[in-house]
Amino acid sequence: MPCYPLKPYATRMFQETGEVADTIEHQQLCNASLIEKIASKLKRISPRLVFTCARGSSDHAATYAKYLFETRMGVAVCSFAPSVASLYAAPTNFQETVFIAISQSGRSPDLLNASQAAKAGGAYLLALVNEEISPLADLADDVIPISAGPELSVAATKSCIGAMSAIYHLCAEWQGNNEMRDAFTELKDALNEAWSIDWSQMLVPLHNTRQALILSRGIGLAGAQEAALKLKETCMIQAEAISAAEVRHGPMSIVDAGFRVIAIATFDKSQQSIDSICQDFLNFGACLLVAGKPLEGALCLPTPCAPDPGLQPLVFLQAFYKFANALSIDRDLDPDNPRNLSKVTETV
């Protein structure tokens, strides 16, 4: 069985994820003055509500934005369903709101229709895009480049972490929070440390797995959603992301002896509830893997603490992406060419 830290796999997914730390540093420098300008505009607008709109990995970055803006800015964030505009053509009042569209390509028709509807309805339209020359960028009032460079792997990695990084940068400037600014400057080192992590012991319990729960809470849910998607995309594991607050409302019933559960530490106020559910799973005999915080009876996946708990999902994902690439190969799959998938998905 391969031990991935000893031999880097020559996949696009591996190579592109390995670029994340340098990509984030470049993004920080290039976007500094731009994000200061946009943050000043947001302070003047003082929106009553923020809408996000995205698909796939970009939508997990939107989940990240929800928890970050709601906990740090006190502004409610709502996910806008693109089909409301693209299929139902239902008019929506977007007065006094910010509409943040997040996309790697900036080309999906339903996202463009939703963004057009938001702008027509009075929203300030902000686009986070990796491809700056795109229809979404042309439509937006302002654009924050993700600046991840070409991303050829079907499974988005650096563009997802890059979108989260840009969101954190924007929040730090919008709030004018020096502690967040300082933490942001330390992110590159934390990402590099996460990239060096050895999770090869996790290959064995997941080698033949068909199902898994990915558990976290609060801002950690964004990392859980993205990890679950990557296990589906690259490893053909039916993984479901679940909040620790929701497990007892039904999903716990599927967990029995040997069932695989991955718990993602947040190191914030939600950690106690995650630990409580993890103990329940251990009592049920589940095979529990915990990323970030050791727990007796569980397999610990070492994960560095981020310089701010608000950055923990990014640090977790940097370690997880490397592992997902290795697990895909270990299961005789090709992470660069997932079955039935393509890089750009154009949904109507």
Side-chain angles (χ1 to χ4, degrees):
M1 185 172 293
C3 183
Y4 69 83
L6 302 179
K7 185 177 88 171
Y9 295 129
T11 66
R12 290 190 294 270
M13 182 179 177
F14 183 92
Q15 292 166 354
E16 290 171 0
T17 308
E19 298 169 3
V20 166
D22 289 338
T23 292
I24 298 307
E25 182 181 46
H26 173 74
Q27 181 198 86
Q28 290 174 357
L29 294 173
C30 292
N31 286 356
S33 61
L34 170 64
I35 286 184
E36 284 180 12
K37 182 189 76 171
I38 293 172
S40 295
K41 187 176 291 187
L42 291 173
K43 291 173 186 177
R44 292 196 302 272
I45 294 172
S46 188
R48 61 179 176 85
L49 181 67
V50 172
F51 286 96
T52 60
C53 191
R55 296 283 193 194
S57 293
S58 294
D59 198 35
H60 306 152
T63 298
Y64 176 78
K66 174 180 176 63
Y67 282 101
L68 194 66
F69 291 154
E70 289 186 347
T71 58
R72 304 293 175 97
M73 299 303 308
V75 179
V77 180
C78 175
S79 176
F80 184 77
S83 61
V84 170
S86 65
L87 293 183
Y88 297 102
T92 304
N93 181 3
F94 290 99
Q95 294 294 328
E96 300 177 64
T97 70
V98 173
F99 191 93
I100 303 178
I102 309 172
S103 175
Q104 199 282 134
S105 69
R107 299 179 187 282
S108 186
D110 59 346
L111 191 65
L112 293 172
N113 286 336
S115 298
Q116 289 168 342
K119 194 169 182 179
Y124 163 56
L125 177 58
L126 179 61
L128 271 69
V129 292
N130 194 39
E131 294 188 19
E132 296 175 54
I133 301 175
S134 63
L136 179 59
D138 292 340
L139 181 63
D141 294 307
D142 283 303
V143 176
I144 297 179
I146 295 173
S147 300
E151 187 175 60
L152 302 178
S153 174
V154 171
T157 56
K158 60 179 179 175
S159 65
C160 182
I161 294 180
M164 292 179 176
S165 170
I167 288 163
Y168 186 91
H169 193 176
L170 178 62
C171 185
E173 293 304 321
W174 188 1
Q175 192 181 46
N177 188 316
N178 285 329
E179 291 183 359
M180 289 182 70
R181 288 167 174 151
D182 290 343
F184 196 47
T185 64
E186 299 171 16
L187 177 58
K188 179 183 179 181
D189 289 342
L191 290 170
N192 278 326
E193 184 180 356
W195 185 242
S196 71
I197 291 294
D198 178 354
W199 281 8
S200 55
Q201 76 273 25
M202 193 173 168
L203 292 171
V204 175
L206 293 182
H207 177 69
N208 292 316
T209 296
R210 296 181 62 85
Q211 294 177 307
L213 280 184
I214 317 297
L215 177 77
S216 196
R217 191 172 181 186
I219 202 165
L221 187 59
Q225 290 173 336
E226 177 63 5
L229 176 62
K230 288 299 175 285
L231 288 180
K232 294 186 188 84
E233 281 182 310
T234 66
C235 301
M236 295 177 63
I237 295 173
Q238 186 182 4
E240 178 183 358
I242 189 75
S243 167
E246 295 289 342
V247 168
R248 291 192 177 99
H249 290 268
M252 185 170 276
S253 67
I254 71 172
V255 177
D256 56 11
F259 193 95
R260 272 48 173 174
V261 178
I262 301 172
I264 304 167
T266 56
F267 302 108
D268 66 7
K269 293 179 180 179
S270 69
Q271 187 63 51
Q272 184 175 355
S273 65
I274 297 171
D275 292 344
S276 175
I277 293 295
C278 284
Q279 190 59 58
D280 287 345
F281 284 143
L282 287 173
N283 293 340
F284 297 154
C287 176
L288 178 66
L289 305 98
V290 292
K293 184 182 178 186
L295 184 65
E296 186 176 354
L299 177 60
C300 181
L301 309 172
T303 309
C305 287
D308 171 5
L311 290 168
Q312 193 63 36
L314 288 71
V315 174
F316 161 74
L317 286 173
Q318 180 69 348
F320 183 85
Y321 285 152
K322 179 181 177 183
F323 170 76
N325 176 82
L327 181 61
S328 177
I329 294 170
D330 188 59
R331 290 165 66 96
D332 294 322
L333 300 170
D334 181 355
D336 288 337
N337 296 288
R339 188 174 68 179
N340 303 330
L341 300 179
S342 59
K343 181 61 179 175
V344 177
T345 303
E346 296 190 351
T347 309
V348 177

